[in-house]
Amino acid sequence: MIIARLLCFRVYIPTLYDEPVDPKRELEDRCKAPCARPLKEYQACAKRIQGDESGHKHCTGQYFDYWRCVDNCAATKLFSHLK
């Protein structure tokens, strides 16, 4: 009876070949080049407010514009990799 119960449980030991690979990071890296314009706008804003001591100035809009561009580019390619 105990042996029958032990046989019901499978022990899964992951190997190097079983590890899933997230294609999103690679796709994001490829999509950074086409999004150079929003990145330059963000970098220009960051340079412009570099000396601000008050903390009121920020480049949040430009930062999110850049990552929106990267996400939109990667999303069109990402879903073809999913099962």
Side-chain angles (χ1 to χ4, degrees):
M1 182 94 171
I2 294 174
I3 294 174
R5 286 185 184 173
L6 290 176
L7 292 176
C8 292
F9 297 106
R10 292 185 179 177
V11 177
Y12 178 72
I13 301 172
T15 63
L16 177 64
Y17 301 106
D18 293 330
E19 295 296 321
V21 177
D22 184 10
K24 185 175 184 257
R25 291 194 187 263
E26 181 184 338
L27 292 173
E28 284 179 345
D29 288 341
R30 282 193 234 159
C31 288
K32 288 180 180 178
C35 296
R37 184 173 155 227
L39 178 61
K40 287 181 184 178
E41 290 174 2
Y42 170 69
Q43 290 171 339
C45 178
K47 188 176 181 179
R48 194 170 49 246
I49 67 165
Q50 192 172 17
D52 180 38
E53 297 294 326
S54 67
H56 293 291
K57 297 178 182 177
H58 56 83
C59 299
T60 307
Q62 291 85 352
Y63 179 78
F64 284 121
D65 288 343
Y66 170 67
W67 281 106
R68 183 180 305 119
C69 177
V70 173
D71 285 342
N72 287 339
C73 174
T76 58
K77 299 171 179 92
L78 179 65
F79 289 105
S80 65
H81 288 69
L82 299 177
K83 292 182 182 179

